[in-house]
Amino acid sequence: MAAPASAVPGSAAGLRAGAVRFPVPAGARSWRAAAELPTSRSLLSGRRFPGAVRVGGSGGRVAVRAAGASGEVMIPEGESDGMPVSAGSDDLQLPALDDELSTEVGAEVEIESSGASDVEGVKRVVEELAAEQKPRVVPPTGDGQKIFQMDSMLNGYKYHLEYRYSLYRRLRSDIDQYEGGLETFSRGYEKFGFNHSAEGVTYREWAPGAHSAALVGDFNNWNPNADRMSKNEFGVWEIFLPNNADGSSPIPHGSRVKVRMETPSGIKDSIPAWIKYSVQAAGEIPYNGIYYDPPEEEKYIFKHPQPKRPKSLRIYETHVGMSSTEPKINTYANFRDEVLPRIKKLGYNAVQIMAIQEHAYYGSFGYHVTNFFAPSSRFGTPEDLNHASNNTLDGLNGFDGTDTHYFHSGSRGHHWMWDSRLFNYGNWEVLRFLLSNARWWLEEYKFDGFRFDGVTSMMYTHHGLQVAFTGNYSEYFGFATDADAVVYLMLVNDLIHGLYPEAITIGEDVSGMPTFALPVQDGGVGFDYRLHMAVPDKWIELLKQSDESWKMGDIVHTLTNRRWSEKCVTYAESHDQALVGDKTIAFWLMDKDMYDFMALDRPATPSIDRGIALHKMIRLITMGLGGEGYLNFMGNEFGHPEWIDFPRAPQVLPNGKFIPGNNNSYDKCRRRFDLGDADYLRYRGMLEFDRAMQSLEEKYGFMTSDHQYISRKHEEDKMIIFEKGDLVFVFNFHWSNSYFDYRVGCLKPGKYKVVLDSDAGLFGGFGRIHHTAEHFTADCSHDNRPYSFSVYSPSRTCVVYAPAE
């Protein structure tokens, strides 16, 4: 959940708006709160905790007492629904909720289930709830020394790394001293922006450069003199609006609001920085901030506990707006009903949703964020989602009329290539804003993590522009490193992993900075994964050549060239390669033939046969060798034709260059899932292969296996053979040569069977492999492996073998 068209953290966004969300596991029991709590919702992760658990079905009721240490279960007579009646017994051991909670909480949880399995369901839910009521605490800082034990080359840069870690520890100490710790500091949304209490609404905004401020909107007829705000010594403006005489809110839900400020650059109306929802009226350019506080009965209550993080991360990269097969902007609701089931069926276990944060320009893919706490209104309301920009009108840029509010001043605060602003990560209130923003999406919308985009632009003052990283450590740890930005990344990773241990963070770094994906306590930056960006670049480079010139050693080197103990998410292509001006792998391979020769009722061309074969091979070898996680952009699994082109009008750039538009068409801003579903088109074979590839990884977990051995990289035969876990992968990249009785080395003796074959007819292949064949090893070492077996390896195929027993 939680991955921007998304925000570039090195520009106006401090985190990726495209978030990672794990699908609910099959068989998970739904649950919902049925009572109010007097406790703080944000401190309780948005869930309301039970004093009792109600079991559905035929009216059975199991009450779990929230006090004492016995975990007593009471089942009214005659209402067991098949459950063993054991009131007061020790048959069902449930964790007791602590006394403090039990005195305040009287909520109930419904479990939509019945029968004997209810016992396990009740037990699981109560265990999850008991775990969630524990205070959330960010672990103390470590000593940051383990990185030097892991990589002795870092000792030559110990001064820089220890200085970096000292900045981090000092900032943690200051936050502890002045803010009560990261846990409190990261709940800035409970202080800033709009907060509704029993007495009324309080609105606060940090705008130190403003000379005066007033809250305006529909509620006061946009009168700038009606609700003037006061400013404290820290530059925070505040106003309290009491409830109306009838007890209703002084600002109606859904009404438009802005803050009018007298600034050094003049009077301006701005959308509140912490706004939770903003919309763009039809025919208007600026957005309107919306006071969003729906009645309790309209608020969505999450029905499922959040899942555990998967060991092998298989990410389906998505964009809600373009996820329809029709030329339109899709909605959260349709995405939920039509796209999520498709992802689950394919076998992916995580969803990366791009363009979640509000962004003024749809064609930016969400990278120019304007409202950091607001989900994009193009796709629906915040409740629908639940079931940094250079724009001075709607975003943070020039918010208080100065150039130095949230961002660095001068050239350091502007990213000339992306036309975006760069945060001042050394500023206290900027840190509060960004850390609170990260927590908000995890808390309010139950995202499971973030992909931080463009991190290289943050970590270096040169932003990685016009710089070729060679791997020399001096490129990473010197005066070009932005220590404030790196320390912010350490803090946000500390926060996310401390408060949400199951959450995942992925960083997009092209520099390859050592320690990037190591824990903060050990001295690292703290990401769980780095995006292996060299892999798609290598495939594009190779696809511009004939595959007859591909070097097997070059392919293997690129896929495996990553830092030991720092995990990577690999991918053959993402949304970047699908955008207009670039080509997807399928289009590089098959080009215009995709328009006329993808139907099964007519012969394929050599280009089509070659393209489908290599499309499958490229994706499997990338997953097999490229990292501990795998990513695919929606539609690319079946070779989606053409490119993504957002609706756009013609424009003239500042340099006078004319850029033609596309008549604001949505025709190429959608995903033609119907092509992959059609059993009369060749796309279907590629789709089925991708599904089988995910299923194989789910069963064998080969991406995260400790055992990996590459036994063959043969340039003349064009063969690559490697072991991952118990599996043996055999790739034949030769364009015409097929090999009989090809000797394959392996670690384990015994009988091997085919578990995946890209040449199978189901996958659009020629069916040259017999899946019932048994392959027995011989006590004959080969390619430095103790055992070996013989296989038939057809041209342009990949086959995976597994022990038969």
Side-chain angles (χ1 to χ4, degrees):
M1 253 341 57
S6 16
V8 180
S11 65
L15 57 90
R16 173 84 173 176
V20 178
R21 171 165 280 167
F22 307 142
V24 176
R29 299 163 186 267
S30 65
W31 61 282
R32 65 176 175 81
E36 291 294 330
L37 282 185
T39 47
S40 167
R41 187 178 179 204
S42 66
L43 287 174
L44 296 177
S45 184
R47 301 184 185 178
R48 299 179 169 88
F49 289 78
V53 176
R54 175 180 300 158
V55 180
S58 302
R61 180 181 178 86
V62 178
V64 181
R65 290 186 175 173
S70 66
E72 179 179 5
V73 179
M74 303 171 296
I75 306 177
E77 184 176 358
E79 296 185 6
S80 64
D81 281 345
M83 295 176 59
V85 179
S86 53
S89 74
D90 294 326
D91 292 348
L92 178 59
Q93 297 297 322
L94 297 174
L97 306 181
D98 57 30
D99 293 339
E100 181 180 353
L101 184 67
S102 68
T103 60
E104 297 184 10
V105 179
E108 296 179 345
V109 172
E110 281 193 4
I111 303 177
E112 296 173 1
S113 179
S114 61
S117 62
D118 284 338
V119 174
E120 288 303 314
V122 172
K123 183 177 180 180
R124 184 170 69 243
V125 170
V126 173
E127 285 174 346
E128 288 163 350
L129 295 172
E132 287 199 2
Q133 61 141 328
K134 294 178 181 177
R136 289 181 172 174
V137 178
V138 179
T141 61
D143 60 13
Q145 295 297 303
K146 189 174 180 180
I147 56 173
F148 303 109
Q149 303 168 22
M150 301 176 68
D151 183 356
S152 60
M153 290 180 61
L154 293 173
N155 284 301
Y157 302 88
K158 197 166 187 177
Y159 177 82
H160 176 97
L161 290 163
E162 289 191 335
Y163 170 72
R164 182 178 86 179
Y165 206 74
S166 70
L167 290 180
Y168 154 75
R169 294 185 69 173
R170 186 172 66 197
L171 195 51
R172 278 285 306 267
S173 176
D174 288 346
I175 292 173
D176 288 345
Q177 179 179 352
Y178 299 111
E179 298 282 355
L182 266 180
E183 195 282 330
T184 302
F185 190 54
S186 62
R187 287 188 279 118
Y189 46 79
E190 293 182 355
K191 177 181 179 181
F192 287 90
F194 293 95
N195 283 283
H196 195 179
S197 66
E199 291 76 30
V201 174
T202 301
Y203 168 61
R204 295 187 185 94
E205 197 74 71
W206 176 61
H211 303 314
S212 67
L215 181 62
V216 295
D218 294 330
F219 73 99
N220 64 6
N221 295 317
W222 300 89
N223 183 353
N225 298 312
D227 297 294
R228 302 187 67 83
M229 304 174 70
S230 59
K231 180 181 179 182
N232 68 15
E233 67 273 25
F234 301 108
V236 176
W237 296 87
E238 178 178 344
I239 188 172
F240 173 74
L241 302 176
N243 287 334
N244 297 322
D246 61 1
S248 61
S249 172
I251 309 177
H253 164 60
S255 59
R256 297 175 298 170
V257 289
K258 286 193 174 182
V259 55
R260 176 164 298 178
M261 292 177 287
E262 182 185 352
T263 76
S265 59
I267 295 176
K268 60 176 300 188
D269 289 349
S270 298
I271 295 176
W274 299 72
I275 199 73
K276 306 303 191 301
Y277 189 45
S278 62
V279 298
Q280 185 180 37
E284 294 185 5
I285 294 178
Y287 271 66
N288 287 301
I290 301 297
Y291 178 73
Y292 197 82
D293 186 23
E296 287 298 318
E297 60 270 17
E298 294 182 13
K299 293 181 180 178
Y300 183 85
I301 303 298
F302 283 88
K303 298 178 180 179
H304 300 281
Q306 288 185 264
K308 303 293 184 182
R309 70 160 73 184
K311 184 178 181 182
S312 298
L313 194 61
R314 302 188 302 275
I315 304 169
Y316 197 81
E317 186 182 41
T318 66
H319 182 287
V320 173
M322 67 174 64
S323 63
S324 174
T325 58
E326 301 175 23
K328 66 177 185 179
I329 296 178
N330 208 11
T331 65
Y332 294 123
N334 286 340
F335 181 84
R336 176 196 66 210
D337 295 340
E338 299 171 5
V339 181
L340 288 181
R342 178 181 298 277
I343 299 171
K344 179 180 174 63
K345 186 177 180 181
L346 282 170
Y348 290 84
N349 59 13
V351 183
Q352 178 183 298
I353 309 176
M354 302 184 65
I356 283 293
Q357 291 172 302
E358 190 59 84
H359 48 289
Y361 176 45
Y362 186 49
S364 75
F365 227 113
Y367 281 92
H368 284 185
V369 169
T370 49
N371 307 120
F372 288 78
F373 290 81
S376 179
S377 59
R378 290 181 179 87
F379 319 135
T381 69
E383 299 308 312
D384 291 333
L385 173 59
N386 273 334
H387 196 60
S389 174
N390 209 16
N391 181 337
T392 59
L393 292 175
D394 307 311
L396 296 180
N397 186 23
F399 183 86
D400 67 349
T402 69
D403 188 47
T404 59
H405 186 200
Y406 281 91
F407 310 106
H408 285 295
S409 62
S411 60
R412 189 181 179 188
H414 292 263
H415 195 295
W416 60 266
M417 181 175 286
W418 293 340
D419 188 30
S420 56
R421 296 301 309 271
L422 301 166
F423 278 114
N424 180 0
Y425 298 101
N427 184 283
W428 193 265
E429 292 302 329
V430 171
L431 285 176
R432 187 199 308 274
F433 182 84
L434 294 177
L435 293 173
S436 297
N437 190 239
R439 183 170 184 178
W440 169 256
W441 293 95
L442 296 170
E443 193 84 45
E444 182 69 13
Y445 295 102
K446 300 296 179 288
F447 285 135
D448 299 298
F450 299 99
R451 166 177 157 178
F452 288 68
D453 236 24
V455 172
T456 306
S457 73
M458 299 172 59
M459 296 193 300
Y460 306 97
T461 54
H462 52 59
H463 313 309
L465 300 175
Q466 300 175 329
V467 174
F469 290 96
T470 66
N472 189 309
Y473 280 27
S474 62
E475 297 167 349
Y476 309 117
F477 310 120
F479 292 113
T481 305
D482 189 330
D484 286 340
V486 175
V487 168
Y488 157 70
L489 292 173
M490 296 167 71
L491 280 174
V492 73
N493 275 300
D494 226 6
L495 172 78
I496 292 169
H497 294 125
L499 300 185
Y500 307 88
E502 299 298 327
I504 286 176
T505 59
I506 303 168
E508 184 192 65
D509 169 40
V510 299
S511 74
M513 175 185 278
T515 76
F516 183 80
L518 292 176
V520 174
Q521 285 71 23
D522 296 341
V525 182
F527 286 98
D528 294 299
Y529 297 87
R530 138 190 292 123
L531 274 183
H532 201 346
M533 301 178 68
V535 174
D537 291 343
K538 172 57 68 175
W539 288 124
I540 295 302
E541 174 190 324
L542 293 176
L543 289 169
K544 293 178 180 179
Q545 312 166 12
S546 165
D547 55 305
E548 298 179 15
S549 64
W550 292 3
K551 301 298 183 184
M552 302 299 99
D554 186 30
I555 292 173
V556 170
H557 173 75
T558 300
L559 291 171
T560 58
N561 182 26
R562 55 187 188 273
R563 291 185 58 80
W564 174 73
S565 77
E566 298 192 40
K567 294 186 293 185
C568 285
V569 170
T570 189
Y571 56 107
E573 57 185 338
S574 69
H575 69 277
D576 290 325
Q577 287 72 40
L579 288 170
V580 63
D582 207 337
K583 288 184 179 181
T584 63
I585 287 177
F587 223 52
W588 275 110
L589 290 167
M590 296 176 277
D591 206 64
K592 64 180 184 299
D593 279 10
M594 297 184 75
Y595 294 114
D596 299 312
F597 299 99
M598 292 299 283
L600 290 171
D601 63 355
R602 66 182 65 181
T605 64
S607 174
I608 294 294
D609 286 339
R610 170 184 179 269
I612 291 176
L614 289 177
H615 189 273
K616 292 177 287 187
M617 297 180 71
I618 287 170
R619 301 173 82 78
L620 182 60
I621 199 170
T622 299
M623 175 183 262
L625 286 178
E628 294 75 22
Y630 177 80
L631 178 143
N632 166 67
F633 180 65
M634 60 179 183
N636 287 351
E637 68 273 9
F638 61 83
H640 198 290
E642 297 186 317
W643 52 85
I644 296 169
D645 192 7
F646 283 89
R648 52 191 170 85
Q651 59 176 319
V652 178
L653 300 181
N655 62 7
K657 182 179 179 181
F658 176 76
I659 305 295
N662 63 3
N663 295 318
N664 290 308
S665 171
Y666 288 87
D667 183 62
K668 290 183 173 58
C669 193
R670 54 175 169 157
R671 294 282 89 181
R672 292 292 305 276
F673 293 117
D674 54 309
L675 298 178
D677 293 341
D679 57 10
Y680 55 87
L681 296 176
R682 291 186 166 88
Y683 297 104
R684 181 64 175 270
M686 291 185 282
L687 176 76
E688 293 297 341
F689 182 77
D690 195 86
R691 192 199 319 274
M693 194 168 73
Q694 308 307 320
S695 176
L696 184 75
E697 208 292 320
E698 174 69 22
K699 181 176 181 179
Y700 291 97
F702 58 82
M703 282 198 300
T704 54
S705 172
D706 292 332
H707 174 64
Q708 173 176 303
Y709 191 89
I710 301 166
S711 60
R712 174 157 288 225
K713 299 172 286 185
H714 200 285
E715 299 299 344
E716 183 178 344
D717 291 349
K718 298 299 180 185
M719 294 290 294
I720 297 174
I721 300 174
F722 60 88
E723 303 163 19
K724 288 294 291 283
D726 291 335
L727 302 180
V728 179
F729 292 72
V730 178
F731 286 80
N732 181 354
F733 278 97
H734 204 283
W735 51 97
S736 61
N737 288 355
S738 298
Y739 304 106
F740 292 92
D741 293 326
Y742 202 85
R743 182 63 52 177
V744 173
C746 62
L747 176 64
K748 295 183 177 181
K751 182 172 65 174
Y752 283 78
K753 64 180 180 180
V754 173
V755 290
L756 182 63
D757 167 25
S758 68
D759 200 46
L762 176 64
F763 308 141
F766 296 99
R768 291 169 286 178
I769 298 290
H770 295 291
H771 297 169
T772 57
E774 297 177 332
H775 303 267
F776 293 89
T777 60
D779 294 337
C780 173
S781 63
H782 186 72
D783 287 340
N784 295 317
R785 310 312 288 147
Y787 305 96
S788 62
F789 58 94
S790 295
V791 302
Y792 170 51
S793 181
S795 60
R796 285 182 178 148
T797 62
C798 48
V799 182
V800 185
Y801 299 87
E805 298 176 359

